[in-house]
Amino acid sequence: MSYSDKTYSFFENVYEVVRLIPKGRVTSYGAIAKYIGSGGSSRMVGWAMNAAHGQRPKVPAQRVVNRVGLLTGRHHFETPETMQHLLEKEGITVVNHQVQNFKKVIWDPSVELL
DNA sequence: CGATTGACGTACG
DNA sequence: TCGTACGCCAATC
């Protein structure tokens, strides 16, 4: 592990929050970044998820979408359809790679988990 | 060590 | 209302 303790915490922080997302709910990168305290570093959340592959316990990255509810990270899964399939399996309706009723299924850690 | 990229978000025109 | 520009911070080239 060449990562600094601070950086390591950042990644672990993201993973932990993502794992806390209830089934049938989704959150946005910005919401996670804000909860961690990185501010507008929503891109860092994406980087963390990029390293989430192979993490145990499994990180439900399919529950993390952008602020529009669009499955922008679907292409990073085993297959582009895996993300949508998992979300639909959890009861989330996804049309055209976009989460329907996004306003209902949104789960903001800085609000719900506060 | 400097420049570019990246699973985003907000601001501005 | 829609399209474009810029900012965040870390990792990679």
Side-chain angles (χ1 to χ4, degrees), chain A residues 53 73-86:
Chain A
H53 281 279
R74 65 194 138 102
H75 202 66
H76 288 256
F77 281 78
E78 301 176 49
T79 60
E81 58 185 51
T82 302
M83 190 172 186
Q84 180 173 339
H85 184 74
L86 290 170

Side-chain angles (χ1 to χ4, degrees), chain A residues 41-56:
Chain A
S41 61
S42 48
R43 284 181 162 155
M44 301 300 89
V45 178
W47 268 112
M49 309 287 0
N50 198 2
H53 281 279
Q55 285 296 324
R56 256 79 69 195

Side-chain angles (χ1 to χ4, degrees), chain A residues 54-94:
Chain A
Q55 285 296 324
R56 256 79 69 195
K58 179 192 156 196
V59 180
Q62 70 277 7
R63 294 176 186 161
V64 184
V65 296
N66 67 353
R67 77 165 187 97
V68 189
L70 193 64
L71 283 57
T72 48
R74 65 194 138 102
H75 202 66
H76 288 256
F77 281 78
E78 301 176 49
T79 60
E81 58 185 51
T82 302
M83 190 172 186
Q84 180 173 339
H85 184 74
L86 290 170
L87 289 173
E88 291 180 332
K89 189 176 181 182
E90 295 182 353
I92 298 175
T93 305
V94 179

Side-chain angles (χ1 to χ4, degrees), chain A residues 3-10:
Chain A
Y3 300 108
S4 302
D5 292 333
K6 188 173 184 180
T7 304
Y8 182 72
S9 296
F10 179 82

Side-chain angles (χ1 to χ4, degrees), chain A residues 4 7 21 24 31 34 46 48-49 52 72 95 97 104 107 114:
Chain A
S4 302
T7 304
I21 302 173
K34 184 177 181 182
M49 309 287 0
T72 48
V95 178
H97 300 167
K104 288 179 166 183
W107 183 84
L114 183 58

